[in-house]
Amino acid sequence: MIRYTTPSITLLVEDMDLTQGQDIYVSLEQGPEANPISLEKREADLTITTETHDLITDTSLVMVLSQEESAMFDLNAAVKVQVNWIDASGIRQATEIRNIPVFRNLLDRVIGYGD
């Protein structure tokens, strides 16, 4: 992701249909465990679609970060991302943690249309 942009980040959860009423949490984190920079997105922040192939359903989650949100993260380390979900019966699952690289933006500030 490039800082100070509004990136669309797509996450694929394989062999799982997350359109069946689960509560979904997408966590982004960077920095030391004691004091990380963190951001959380929920279902209302996500575009959720499924695709079925060979009787297996995968779920695609797309989230868009604001300029302010992408600017939160430092250039010196990747952002860790993970999806957690829990169903009505209390069964909770999670994906493995993945890394998203953070790239520099030469226009290092929030801008608006017409500025």
Side-chain angles (χ1 to χ4, degrees):
M1 106 176 87
I2 299 173
R3 294 182 70 216
Y4 288 97
T5 63
T6 54
S8 293
I9 299 172
T10 302
L11 306 169
L12 181 65
V13 180
E14 296 178 326
D15 197 15
M16 184 60 59
D17 183 352
L18 296 179
T19 62
Q20 303 302 309
Q22 299 92 335
D23 289 341
I24 302 169
Y25 302 80
V26 178
S27 304
L28 294 101
E29 181 180 285
Q30 183 188 55
E33 286 186 34
N35 191 24
I37 298 167
S38 61
L39 179 65
E40 182 179 280
K41 297 286 188 174
R42 297 285 311 270
E43 303 90 50
D45 304 314
L46 307 170
T47 301
I48 304 169
T49 58
T50 59
E51 183 177 320
T52 302
H53 53 87
D54 300 325
L55 302 176
I56 296 172
T57 300
D58 298 332
T59 301
S60 176
L61 307 170
V62 179
M63 65 181 160
V64 177
L65 302 186
S66 69
Q67 291 181 65
E68 293 85 357
E69 289 170 334
S70 70
M72 291 172 35
F73 298 107
D74 187 54
L75 296 170
N76 298 325
V79 173
K80 295 175 182 169
V81 62
Q82 184 177 42
V83 180
N84 275 264
W85 62 93
I86 188 166
D87 66 22
S89 63
I91 303 296
R92 178 179 173 178
Q93 297 183 51
T95 63
E96 294 180 11
I97 297 170
R98 300 290 186 194
N99 292 314
I100 300 172
V102 180
F103 299 102
R104 182 175 174 218
N105 190 328
L106 294 177
L107 186 57
D108 203 25
R109 62 183 166 91
V110 174
I111 59 173
Y113 181 77
D115 286 352

